[in-house]
Amino acid sequence: MEKKQRIGVYICHCGGNISDYVDVSQIKDIVKGLDGVVVAKNVMFACADSNQKEMVNDIVDQKLDGIVVASCSPKLHLHTFRNVAIRAGLNPYNYTQVNIREQCSWAHSDTPSEASEKAAGLILAGINRVSHSEALENIEVSSTRAAVVIGAGVSGMRAAIGLSQMGNQVYLIEKEYKPGGHIARWGEMFMDGKTGDEIISALLTKVKSDKNITLFTNAGIGKVSGSLGNFDVEVRISDEILNLKVGAILVTTGYDHYQPAIGEYGYGELSNVITLPEFRELLNNCGDTLNYQNKKVNSIAFIYCVGMRQTKGENKYCSRVCCTTAIHSSLLVHNKFKSVLVYHLYRDIRTYGKQEVLYEQSSKNGDIYLKFDEKIPPKVSNSKHRLLIQVKDELTRKQDLELETDLVVLVTGLVPGKDTAELAGKLKIPVGNDKFFNEIHPKLRPVETVINGVFIGGSCQGPKNITESVQSAMAATVKINALTKNPTIQLEPVIARVNFDTCVWCGKCAEVCEYDAVHPLEMYGKTVASVNEAVCKGCGICAPVCPNDAIDIAQYSNAEIEGMIDGFSEKVELKESAESEDEQSAVTGAEMKDQPQLWLRISASLQKESKTIPALVKELDVPANVLTYHLMTMNKYSLVEADGMDDSDEYYYYRLKNIQHDQN
Amino acid sequence: MGNQHTRPRILVFSTDKISDPGIDQAGLRKIHYSPSVYVISLPCSSGIKPRWIMHAFNQGFDGVFIAADGHECSYSSKCPEYTNMIIEESQRLMKEANISPKRIRMAAICSVCAEPFASHMANFTRILAELE
Ligand SMILES: Cc1cc2nc3c(=O)[nH]c(=O)nc-3n(C[C@H](O)[C@H](O)[C@H](O)COP(=O)(O)OP(=O)(O)OC[C@H]3O[C@@H](n4cnc5c(N)ncnc54)[C@H](O)[C@@H]3O)c2cc1C
Ligand code: SF4
Ligand code: SF4
Ligand code: SF4
């Protein structure tokens, strides 16, 4: 492939975040002389709209065939600059972002001269990469405006209603005869005081009356094939098999309760030891007296973290919701039966956010909290007609205490639903170390899985209370709708490609591909490997196994990666101090930073109306880069904000933030 | 300036969803590591070709570090296994070229592993310096 000949390189000051440590001006001078580079500029803020506009002009006027922006992490602005390319008619994949901030100026702020050398290497690598880059087209797939939601608990039902309201056909699949999941049996729920039954009944009424939603109960998922936009999902209801075509799949199959082993704190051996879910059913169904096995309960001990946070066992994680559910249960006891004495034998209390109020209320009720160590758990045994509990209390000088209670409630945590592994296999979605379904990233992509079009929500992802469950399920509905709302979906072309000349169909790539994306194809009288674009995840696992080096991933070709390595290795001679001066570097640091007057002038000017950068430059008579620097800094400190684009769609208007014009 | 190659040069292969954010975070928090560390990010460490590793050595890199997702890899549960196979194949090629197998290392680096990344770099830099 021909190397790019007309590359534009933009090296960003990022205010001073980069240029305080990296000699951006010298690097620009070095880059300027390189073969194939026709534009090299320092910019104060690459992301500022004024610079984006300038880039668009450069691309068009100079007929650039590739651009490099050396600035912050691509995690922040990859799409910003891809869009610049698109606006200028350049293929967005002929753009490369080089991270000289997070991975250079900031990481090496202790050694500025070496940071400059490294930045130069990184930028040369970026230029090499872009010069080998290919113009790629997004993959376009058609989409069905319908979704399957698996599991009709509170998360699944709420999500189904949400999806329907956004205009999707929804098939809600519940394996039990009765939808609703766990909460319907447990009476009042925190934090809003409604009963589980009320919450579920209200949702179910809506689900049943919604003509876009079809609810299948006693149903399960069979074979799943196809991909984003066009999944074929088999639904099994008794002996019947139904085939559905949907654009996306949402998994909301919830959790199961940890089941204590026989003998664990006396469970299964001592009759008055029960689990928290069992206790909640007891409490919900009892009348005016709290009886267990026909005996009045005057005292209860909750033992926390049962089956959870095990240093040695299976479940290493904290199940997050059980502390609050136990404390909330003790409040429910007190509300109905004031005289019952409650002990809480805990390891740590995790009542985060507003749930802390419940903890405080329980302490005010006179509940007794005793902290034990995992290594010395409480012992439960029979004592005449009650239970004897021996516990070493960490908070009262590790005293050995003995309590007698009528009932011991084991605060069992939430564990993955028992169908998780099977469903994970059918949908090809991963589970995490905790064996719950795994999202791509807990913060950045919290409801997406590696399989495009398959989403997870609610407590099947890990222990969550109702609010958190519904929030995550609703987040998934929005993601799904964004995919299904258009008749076609654009996918980033990070996919495997086969060189048909060198492939000899040995099948090794197909063997390692876990997504079944590679199949043999007859071509020019021989068999070669062919990749299904809609299914390939672009993981690249197939590439190193090919004996003929006949398969690679778009954007990660040998030429691109080895070109980067060459760029890192090029020797650059940087002088100790920058001698090169140009219109950008002529602006001294002092001029940039010590301009409090200019902030006041900008503020005064924006008092009356919103203005664009060119308008402010003209009015205040300061160089554009100085004004941009200060305006962006004011933006960073939330003094100003963008206020829409101008008529020509070129510049943002800026306005002062939070000014109240009329104060009565 | 001009003090290139005084510190061992390390090429890091990171993963763009999991370990690269961890490396970014080291910078964000100004946790310093050797400026002779260069990062290339890929979708998955199981996609690294041994020829790229050899290319790095031929271009004067002193060590190659694979910042993998380990068991957190969202593509394949066998990722650690595959990455290991790539390392083994590379070490075979390195042996042929008379390069010490100690010049390649792998560790799981996740999106919050800022300190672990910096300490891996310090450690590897020291090991490579001793090899010289
Ligand atoms: C004792 C206790 C008390 C609690 N109290 C509160 C409280 O007061 N307030 C609060 O906010 N939270 C509380 N919680 C947490 C609450 O239970 C969860 O947040 C909530 O149940 C999560 O809902 P979900 O829909 O995600 O899962 P679930 O309620 O588990 O529902 C999942 C649904 O999916 C179905 N399903 C599973 N597998 C399949 C399959 N393969 N195919 C089809 N369908 C399937 C199940 O049958 C079920 O209907 C409590 C938890 C416990 C243990
Ligand atoms: S939420 Fe509380 S009871 Fe549950 S595992 Fe965590 S610390 Fe233990
Ligand atoms: S491993 Fe290489 S040669 Fe073998 S089938 Fe795949 S692409 Fe063709
Ligand atoms: S890149 Fe991954 S998903 Fe695509 S064909 Fe190769 S192994 Fe399969």
Side-chain angles (χ1 to χ4, degrees), chain A residues 73 75 107 109 114 118 450 514-515 549 558 562 566 576, chain B residues 1 4 7 20 24 32 37 49 51-52 55 59 74-76:
Chain A
S73 169
K75 313 280 175 298
S109 55
E114 289 174 77
K118 172 169 171 179
V450 286
E514 292 185 18
Y515 304 97
D549 203 4
N558 290 334
E562 291 173 357
D566 295 344
E576 200 57 63
Chain B
M1 291 195 194
Q4 259 180 348
R7 306 181 200 239
D20 216 39
D24 274 0
H32 301 303
V37 169
K49 291 190 188 172
R51 64 173 270 180
W52 300 342
H55 189 76
Q59 287 287 29
S74 51
Y75 293 110
S76 168

PDB file of all heavy atoms in Angstrom, chain A residues 73 75 107 109 114 118 450 514-515 549 558 562 566 576, chain B residues 1 4 7 20 24 32 37 49 51-52 55 59 74-76:
ATOM      1  N   SER A  73      -5.070  11.726  26.058  1.00  0.00           N
ATOM      2  CA  SER A  73      -5.374  10.316  25.781  1.00  0.00           C
ATOM      3  C   SER A  73      -6.485  10.192  24.733  1.00  0.00           C
ATOM      4  O   SER A  73      -7.465  10.927  24.774  1.00  0.00           O
ATOM      5  CB  SER A  73      -5.820   9.650  27.088  1.00  0.00           C
ATOM      6  OG  SER A  73      -6.350   8.389  26.820  1.00  0.00           O
ATOM      7  N   LYS A  75      -8.675   8.216  24.787  1.00  0.00           N
ATOM      8  CA  LYS A  75      -9.930   7.912  25.484  1.00  0.00           C
ATOM      9  C   LYS A  75     -10.801   9.161  25.553  1.00  0.00           C
ATOM     10  O   LYS A  75     -12.003   9.078  25.700  1.00  0.00           O
ATOM     11  CB  LYS A  75      -9.666   7.423  26.917  1.00  0.00           C
ATOM     12  CG  LYS A  75      -8.587   6.374  27.060  1.00  0.00           C
ATOM     13  CD  LYS A  75      -9.022   4.980  26.719  1.00  0.00           C
ATOM     14  CE  LYS A  75      -7.921   3.956  26.741  1.00  0.00           C
ATOM     15  NZ  LYS A  75      -6.803   4.083  25.833  1.00  0.00           N
ATOM     16  N   ALA A 107       3.369  11.877  33.060  1.00  0.00           N
ATOM     17  CA  ALA A 107       4.061  10.727  33.647  1.00  0.00           C
ATOM     18  C   ALA A 107       5.540  11.036  33.880  1.00  0.00           C
ATOM     19  O   ALA A 107       6.177  10.441  34.739  1.00  0.00           O
ATOM     20  CB  ALA A 107       3.909   9.505  32.748  1.00  0.00           C
ATOM     21  N   SER A 109       6.840  14.331  34.274  1.00  0.00           N
ATOM     22  CA  SER A 109       7.011  15.742  34.616  1.00  0.00           C
ATOM     23  C   SER A 109       8.258  15.931  35.475  1.00  0.00           C
ATOM     24  O   SER A 109       8.744  17.041  35.640  1.00  0.00           O
ATOM     25  CB  SER A 109       5.767  16.264  35.338  1.00  0.00           C
ATOM     26  OG  SER A 109       5.496  15.457  36.464  1.00  0.00           O
ATOM     27  N   GLU A 114      13.822  14.460  29.093  1.00  0.00           N
ATOM     28  CA  GLU A 114      13.559  13.116  28.577  1.00  0.00           C
ATOM     29  C   GLU A 114      12.106  12.985  28.120  1.00  0.00           C
ATOM     30  O   GLU A 114      11.803  12.229  27.190  1.00  0.00           O
ATOM     31  CB  GLU A 114      13.908  12.065  29.627  1.00  0.00           C
ATOM     32  CG  GLU A 114      15.421  11.970  29.805  1.00  0.00           C
ATOM     33  CD  GLU A 114      15.817  11.046  30.936  1.00  0.00           C
ATOM     34  OE1 GLU A 114      15.754   9.827  30.743  1.00  0.00           O
ATOM     35  OE2 GLU A 114      16.174  11.561  32.006  1.00  0.00           O
ATOM     36  N   LYS A 118      10.921  11.602  24.523  1.00  0.00           N
ATOM     37  CA  LYS A 118       9.907  10.549  24.374  1.00  0.00           C
ATOM     38  C   LYS A 118       8.760  11.060  23.507  1.00  0.00           C
ATOM     39  O   LYS A 118       8.291  10.342  22.610  1.00  0.00           O
ATOM     40  CB  LYS A 118       9.399  10.090  25.737  1.00  0.00           C
ATOM     41  CG  LYS A 118       8.211   9.139  25.625  1.00  0.00           C
ATOM     42  CD  LYS A 118       7.851   8.474  26.937  1.00  0.00           C
ATOM     43  CE  LYS A 118       6.535   7.703  26.822  1.00  0.00           C
ATOM     44  NZ  LYS A 118       6.159   7.016  28.047  1.00  0.00           N
ATOM     45  N   VAL A 450     -18.938  -8.030  25.751  1.00  0.00           N
ATOM     46  CA  VAL A 450     -18.088  -8.054  24.559  1.00  0.00           C
ATOM     47  C   VAL A 450     -18.859  -8.443  23.315  1.00  0.00           C
ATOM     48  O   VAL A 450     -18.387  -8.260  22.204  1.00  0.00           O
ATOM     49  CB  VAL A 450     -16.900  -9.015  24.688  1.00  0.00           C
ATOM     50  CG1 VAL A 450     -15.865  -8.447  25.598  1.00  0.00           C
ATOM     51  CG2 VAL A 450     -17.345 -10.385  25.117  1.00  0.00           C
ATOM     52  N   GLU A 514     -13.190 -17.801  19.314  1.00  0.00           N
ATOM     53  CA  GLU A 514     -14.270 -18.250  20.200  1.00  0.00           C
ATOM     54  C   GLU A 514     -15.634 -17.761  19.735  1.00  0.00           C
ATOM     55  O   GLU A 514     -16.652 -18.083  20.326  1.00  0.00           O
ATOM     56  CB  GLU A 514     -14.000 -17.776  21.629  1.00  0.00           C
ATOM     57  CG  GLU A 514     -12.797 -18.483  22.205  1.00  0.00           C
ATOM     58  CD  GLU A 514     -12.529 -18.154  23.665  1.00  0.00           C
ATOM     59  OE1 GLU A 514     -13.422 -17.647  24.352  1.00  0.00           O
ATOM     60  OE2 GLU A 514     -11.395 -18.420  24.087  1.00  0.00           O
ATOM     61  N   TYR A 515     -15.636 -16.936  18.698  1.00  0.00           N
ATOM     62  CA  TYR A 515     -16.911 -16.360  18.271  1.00  0.00           C
ATOM     63  C   TYR A 515     -17.396 -16.979  16.970  1.00  0.00           C
ATOM     64  O   TYR A 515     -18.355 -16.507  16.383  1.00  0.00           O
ATOM     65  CB  TYR A 515     -16.767 -14.845  18.144  1.00  0.00           C
ATOM     66  CG  TYR A 515     -16.286 -14.246  19.436  1.00  0.00           C
ATOM     67  CD1 TYR A 515     -14.935 -13.959  19.639  1.00  0.00           C
ATOM     68  CD2 TYR A 515     -17.174 -14.041  20.484  1.00  0.00           C
ATOM     69  CE1 TYR A 515     -14.492 -13.460  20.854  1.00  0.00           C
ATOM     70  CE2 TYR A 515     -16.742 -13.543  21.696  1.00  0.00           C
ATOM     71  CZ  TYR A 515     -15.395 -13.252  21.875  1.00  0.00           C
ATOM     72  OH  TYR A 515     -14.971 -12.768  23.071  1.00  0.00           O
ATOM     73  N   ASP A 549       1.287 -15.919   8.503  1.00  0.00           N
ATOM     74  CA  ASP A 549       1.089 -14.496   8.745  1.00  0.00           C
ATOM     75  C   ASP A 549       0.096 -13.920   7.726  1.00  0.00           C
ATOM     76  O   ASP A 549       0.314 -12.873   7.134  1.00  0.00           O
ATOM     77  CB  ASP A 549       2.432 -13.744   8.674  1.00  0.00           C
ATOM     78  CG  ASP A 549       2.365 -12.434   9.458  1.00  0.00           C
ATOM     79  OD1 ASP A 549       1.323 -12.176  10.089  1.00  0.00           O
ATOM     80  OD2 ASP A 549       3.357 -11.668   9.430  1.00  0.00           O
ATOM     81  N   ASN A 558       0.871  -5.204  10.383  1.00  0.00           N
ATOM     82  CA  ASN A 558       2.320  -5.240  10.652  1.00  0.00           C
ATOM     83  C   ASN A 558       2.945  -3.898  10.348  1.00  0.00           C
ATOM     84  O   ASN A 558       3.770  -3.392  11.111  1.00  0.00           O
ATOM     85  CB  ASN A 558       2.987  -6.304   9.770  1.00  0.00           C
ATOM     86  CG  ASN A 558       2.595  -7.702  10.199  1.00  0.00           C
ATOM     87  OD1 ASN A 558       2.248  -7.936  11.356  1.00  0.00           O
ATOM     88  ND2 ASN A 558       2.635  -8.640   9.258  1.00  0.00           N
ATOM     89  N   GLU A 562       4.815  -2.085  13.316  1.00  0.00           N
ATOM     90  CA  GLU A 562       6.279  -2.018  13.196  1.00  0.00           C
ATOM     91  C   GLU A 562       6.717  -0.595  12.863  1.00  0.00           C
ATOM     92  O   GLU A 562       7.780  -0.145  13.297  1.00  0.00           O
ATOM     93  CB  GLU A 562       6.757  -3.044  12.162  1.00  0.00           C
ATOM     94  CG  GLU A 562       6.547  -4.457  12.735  1.00  0.00           C
ATOM     95  CD  GLU A 562       6.813  -5.603  11.758  1.00  0.00           C
ATOM     96  OE1 GLU A 562       7.121  -5.347  10.578  1.00  0.00           O
ATOM     97  OE2 GLU A 562       6.687  -6.752  12.197  1.00  0.00           O
ATOM     98  N   ASP A 566       9.455   1.612  14.858  1.00  0.00           N
ATOM     99  CA  ASP A 566      10.532   2.360  14.194  1.00  0.00           C
ATOM    100  C   ASP A 566      10.540   3.813  14.658  1.00  0.00           C
ATOM    101  O   ASP A 566      11.591   4.392  14.922  1.00  0.00           O
ATOM    102  CB  ASP A 566      10.350   2.327  12.668  1.00  0.00           C
ATOM    103  CG  ASP A 566      10.486   0.907  12.109  1.00  0.00           C
ATOM    104  OD1 ASP A 566      11.005   0.036  12.841  1.00  0.00           O
ATOM    105  OD2 ASP A 566      10.050   0.677  10.964  1.00  0.00           O
ATOM    106  N   GLU A 576      18.967  21.973  24.137  1.00  0.00           N
ATOM    107  CA  GLU A 576      18.606  22.194  25.537  1.00  0.00           C
ATOM    108  C   GLU A 576      17.455  23.186  25.681  1.00  0.00           C
ATOM    109  O   GLU A 576      16.512  22.994  26.417  1.00  0.00           O
ATOM    110  CB  GLU A 576      19.837  22.680  26.307  1.00  0.00           C
ATOM    111  CG  GLU A 576      19.726  22.482  27.810  1.00  0.00           C
ATOM    112  CD  GLU A 576      19.485  21.016  28.184  1.00  0.00           C
ATOM    113  OE1 GLU A 576      20.351  20.152  27.913  1.00  0.00           O
ATOM    114  OE2 GLU A 576      18.414  20.730  28.710  1.00  0.00           O
TER     115      GLU A 576
ATOM    116  N   MET B   1      20.415  17.566  26.695  1.00  0.00           N
ATOM    117  CA  MET B   1      19.613  16.385  26.354  1.00  0.00           C
ATOM    118  C   MET B   1      20.511  15.329  25.728  1.00  0.00           C
ATOM    119  O   MET B   1      21.666  15.215  26.086  1.00  0.00           O
ATOM    120  CB  MET B   1      18.514  16.794  25.388  1.00  0.00           C
ATOM    121  CG  MET B   1      17.476  17.662  26.073  1.00  0.00           C
ATOM    122  SD  MET B   1      15.995  17.767  25.090  1.00  0.00           S
ATOM    123  CE  MET B   1      15.223  19.139  25.914  1.00  0.00           C
ATOM    124  N   GLN B   4      19.721   9.741  25.284  1.00  0.00           N
ATOM    125  CA  GLN B   4      18.967   8.574  24.833  1.00  0.00           C
ATOM    126  C   GLN B   4      19.753   7.310  25.137  1.00  0.00           C
ATOM    127  O   GLN B   4      20.969   7.299  25.090  1.00  0.00           O
ATOM    128  CB  GLN B   4      18.764   8.671  23.322  1.00  0.00           C
ATOM    129  CG  GLN B   4      17.389   9.167  22.990  1.00  0.00           C
ATOM    130  CD  GLN B   4      17.190   9.267  21.505  1.00  0.00           C
ATOM    131  OE1 GLN B   4      18.119   9.173  20.737  1.00  0.00           O
ATOM    132  NE2 GLN B   4      15.965   9.485  21.115  1.00  0.00           N
ATOM    133  N   ARG B   7      18.906   4.846  29.791  1.00  0.00           N
ATOM    134  CA  ARG B   7      18.044   3.934  30.550  1.00  0.00           C
ATOM    135  C   ARG B   7      17.585   2.832  29.604  1.00  0.00           C
ATOM    136  O   ARG B   7      17.378   3.081  28.420  1.00  0.00           O
ATOM    137  CB  ARG B   7      16.797   4.642  31.038  1.00  0.00           C
ATOM    138  CG  ARG B   7      17.031   5.891  31.833  1.00  0.00           C
ATOM    139  CD  ARG B   7      15.666   6.417  32.223  1.00  0.00           C
ATOM    140  NE  ARG B   7      15.719   7.816  32.574  1.00  0.00           N
ATOM    141  CZ  ARG B   7      15.351   8.279  33.756  1.00  0.00           C
ATOM    142  NH1 ARG B   7      14.918   7.456  34.679  1.00  0.00           N
ATOM    143  NH2 ARG B   7      15.396   9.571  34.000  1.00  0.00           N
ATOM    144  N   ASP B  20      -4.579   0.036  29.290  1.00  0.00           N
ATOM    145  CA  ASP B  20      -4.209   1.385  28.874  1.00  0.00           C
ATOM    146  C   ASP B  20      -4.802   2.457  29.807  1.00  0.00           C
ATOM    147  O   ASP B  20      -4.101   3.383  30.185  1.00  0.00           O
ATOM    148  CB  ASP B  20      -4.622   1.626  27.411  1.00  0.00           C
ATOM    149  CG  ASP B  20      -3.601   2.489  26.682  1.00  0.00           C
ATOM    150  OD1 ASP B  20      -2.394   2.292  26.922  1.00  0.00           O
ATOM    151  OD2 ASP B  20      -4.009   3.379  25.924  1.00  0.00           O
ATOM    152  N   ASP B  24      -2.695   5.279  31.710  1.00  0.00           N
ATOM    153  CA  ASP B  24      -3.106   6.690  31.664  1.00  0.00           C
ATOM    154  C   ASP B  24      -3.251   7.253  33.077  1.00  0.00           C
ATOM    155  O   ASP B  24      -2.875   8.374  33.354  1.00  0.00           O
ATOM    156  CB  ASP B  24      -4.467   6.832  30.971  1.00  0.00           C
ATOM    157  CG  ASP B  24      -4.343   6.928  29.454  1.00  0.00           C
ATOM    158  OD1 ASP B  24      -3.200   6.875  28.951  1.00  0.00           O
ATOM    159  OD2 ASP B  24      -5.396   7.053  28.782  1.00  0.00           O
ATOM    160  N   HIS B  32       5.420   8.697  38.594  1.00  0.00           N
ATOM    161  CA  HIS B  32       6.457   8.681  37.565  1.00  0.00           C
ATOM    162  C   HIS B  32       7.022   7.290  37.320  1.00  0.00           C
ATOM    163  O   HIS B  32       7.093   6.474  38.226  1.00  0.00           O
ATOM    164  CB  HIS B  32       7.595   9.626  37.976  1.00  0.00           C
ATOM    165  CG  HIS B  32       7.127  11.034  38.160  1.00  0.00           C
ATOM    166  ND1 HIS B  32       6.495  11.731  37.164  1.00  0.00           N
ATOM    167  CD2 HIS B  32       7.172  11.856  39.224  1.00  0.00           C
ATOM    168  CE1 HIS B  32       6.173  12.932  37.607  1.00  0.00           C
ATOM    169  NE2 HIS B  32       6.572  13.033  38.859  1.00  0.00           N
ATOM    170  N   VAL B  37       9.998   4.300  28.513  1.00  0.00           N
ATOM    171  CA  VAL B  37       8.919   3.319  28.337  1.00  0.00           C
ATOM    172  C   VAL B  37       7.958   3.835  27.260  1.00  0.00           C
ATOM    173  O   VAL B  37       7.500   4.974  27.333  1.00  0.00           O
ATOM    174  CB  VAL B  37       8.145   3.136  29.669  1.00  0.00           C
ATOM    175  CG1 VAL B  37       6.865   2.341  29.452  1.00  0.00           C
ATOM    176  CG2 VAL B  37       9.030   2.485  30.716  1.00  0.00           C
ATOM    177  N   LYS B  49       1.842 -10.240  17.843  1.00  0.00           N
ATOM    178  CA  LYS B  49       2.604 -11.180  17.012  1.00  0.00           C
ATOM    179  C   LYS B  49       4.052 -11.220  17.483  1.00  0.00           C
ATOM    180  O   LYS B  49       4.667 -10.162  17.675  1.00  0.00           O
ATOM    181  CB  LYS B  49       2.569 -10.732  15.549  1.00  0.00           C
ATOM    182  CG  LYS B  49       1.206 -10.876  14.902  1.00  0.00           C
ATOM    183  CD  LYS B  49       1.320 -10.636  13.403  1.00  0.00           C
ATOM    184  CE  LYS B  49      -0.043 -10.587  12.759  1.00  0.00           C
ATOM    185  NZ  LYS B  49       0.050 -10.168  11.345  1.00  0.00           N
ATOM    186  N   ARG B  51       6.570 -11.536  15.823  1.00  0.00           N
ATOM    187  CA  ARG B  51       7.473 -10.776  14.935  1.00  0.00           C
ATOM    188  C   ARG B  51       7.554  -9.313  15.362  1.00  0.00           C
ATOM    189  O   ARG B  51       8.571  -8.654  15.162  1.00  0.00           O
ATOM    190  CB  ARG B  51       7.066 -10.917  13.459  1.00  0.00           C
ATOM    191  CG  ARG B  51       5.713 -10.336  13.102  1.00  0.00           C
ATOM    192  CD  ARG B  51       5.490 -10.381  11.599  1.00  0.00           C
ATOM    193  NE  ARG B  51       5.979  -9.151  10.958  1.00  0.00           N
ATOM    194  CZ  ARG B  51       5.897  -8.931   9.649  1.00  0.00           C
ATOM    195  NH1 ARG B  51       5.374  -9.853   8.848  1.00  0.00           N
ATOM    196  NH2 ARG B  51       6.331  -7.809   9.126  1.00  0.00           N
ATOM    197  N   TRP B  52       6.487  -8.780  15.966  1.00  0.00           N
ATOM    198  CA  TRP B  52       6.548  -7.394  16.449  1.00  0.00           C
ATOM    199  C   TRP B  52       7.542  -7.302  17.617  1.00  0.00           C
ATOM    200  O   TRP B  52       8.289  -6.342  17.744  1.00  0.00           O
ATOM    201  CB  TRP B  52       5.181  -6.909  16.928  1.00  0.00           C
ATOM    202  CG  TRP B  52       4.097  -6.935  15.880  1.00  0.00           C
ATOM    203  CD1 TRP B  52       4.271  -7.009  14.521  1.00  0.00           C
ATOM    204  CD2 TRP B  52       2.686  -6.906  16.103  1.00  0.00           C
ATOM    205  NE1 TRP B  52       3.048  -7.010  13.886  1.00  0.00           N
ATOM    206  CE2 TRP B  52       2.055  -6.948  14.841  1.00  0.00           C
ATOM    207  CE3 TRP B  52       1.885  -6.837  17.243  1.00  0.00           C
ATOM    208  CZ2 TRP B  52       0.668  -6.930  14.696  1.00  0.00           C
ATOM    209  CZ3 TRP B  52       0.513  -6.811  17.106  1.00  0.00           C
ATOM    210  CH2 TRP B  52      -0.103  -6.867  15.834  1.00  0.00           C
ATOM    211  N   HIS B  55      10.891  -7.423  16.232  1.00  0.00           N
ATOM    212  CA  HIS B  55      11.180  -6.150  15.570  1.00  0.00           C
ATOM    213  C   HIS B  55      11.643  -5.115  16.603  1.00  0.00           C
ATOM    214  O   HIS B  55      12.581  -4.351  16.365  1.00  0.00           O
ATOM    215  CB  HIS B  55       9.932  -5.658  14.825  1.00  0.00           C
ATOM    216  CG  HIS B  55      10.185  -4.482  13.936  1.00  0.00           C
ATOM    217  ND1 HIS B  55      10.811  -4.597  12.714  1.00  0.00           N
ATOM    218  CD2 HIS B  55       9.926  -3.161  14.101  1.00  0.00           C
ATOM    219  CE1 HIS B  55      10.918  -3.404  12.167  1.00  0.00           C
ATOM    220  NE2 HIS B  55      10.388  -2.507  12.980  1.00  0.00           N
ATOM    221  N   GLN B  59      15.202  -3.200  16.804  1.00  0.00           N
ATOM    222  CA  GLN B  59      15.285  -1.744  16.746  1.00  0.00           C
ATOM    223  C   GLN B  59      15.894  -1.163  18.016  1.00  0.00           C
ATOM    224  O   GLN B  59      15.775   0.031  18.279  1.00  0.00           O
ATOM    225  CB  GLN B  59      13.888  -1.147  16.527  1.00  0.00           C
ATOM    226  CG  GLN B  59      13.359  -1.349  15.126  1.00  0.00           C
ATOM    227  CD  GLN B  59      14.082  -0.447  14.124  1.00  0.00           C
ATOM    228  OE1 GLN B  59      15.248  -0.097  14.316  1.00  0.00           O
ATOM    229  NE2 GLN B  59      13.405  -0.074  13.061  1.00  0.00           N
ATOM    230  N   SER B  74     -12.004  -9.522  28.367  1.00  0.00           N
ATOM    231  CA  SER B  74     -13.411  -9.680  28.026  1.00  0.00           C
ATOM    232  C   SER B  74     -13.604 -10.487  26.742  1.00  0.00           C
ATOM    233  O   SER B  74     -14.717 -10.805  26.380  1.00  0.00           O
ATOM    234  CB  SER B  74     -14.061  -8.305  27.904  1.00  0.00           C
ATOM    235  OG  SER B  74     -13.296  -7.493  27.055  1.00  0.00           O
ATOM    236  N   TYR B  75     -12.530 -10.820  26.047  1.00  0.00           N
ATOM    237  CA  TYR B  75     -12.674 -11.590  24.806  1.00  0.00           C
ATOM    238  C   TYR B  75     -12.639 -13.090  25.038  1.00  0.00           C
ATOM    239  O   TYR B  75     -13.390 -13.838  24.441  1.00  0.00           O
ATOM    240  CB  TYR B  75     -11.568 -11.236  23.813  1.00  0.00           C
ATOM    241  CG  TYR B  75     -11.630  -9.832  23.287  1.00  0.00           C
ATOM    242  CD1 TYR B  75     -10.688  -8.890  23.661  1.00  0.00           C
ATOM    243  CD2 TYR B  75     -12.643  -9.466  22.411  1.00  0.00           C
ATOM    244  CE1 TYR B  75     -10.741  -7.598  23.171  1.00  0.00           C
ATOM    245  CE2 TYR B  75     -12.705  -8.181  21.915  1.00  0.00           C
ATOM    246  CZ  TYR B  75     -11.754  -7.244  22.296  1.00  0.00           C
ATOM    247  OH  TYR B  75     -11.816  -5.984  21.817  1.00  0.00           O
ATOM    248  N   SER B  76     -11.694 -13.518  25.883  1.00  0.00           N
ATOM    249  CA  SER B  76     -11.514 -14.955  26.009  1.00  0.00           C
ATOM    250  C   SER B  76     -11.020 -15.333  27.398  1.00  0.00           C
ATOM    251  O   SER B  76     -10.113 -14.696  27.939  1.00  0.00           O
ATOM    252  CB  SER B  76     -10.483 -15.426  24.973  1.00  0.00           C
ATOM    253  OG  SER B  76     -10.091 -16.740  25.267  1.00  0.00           O
TER     254      SER B  76
END
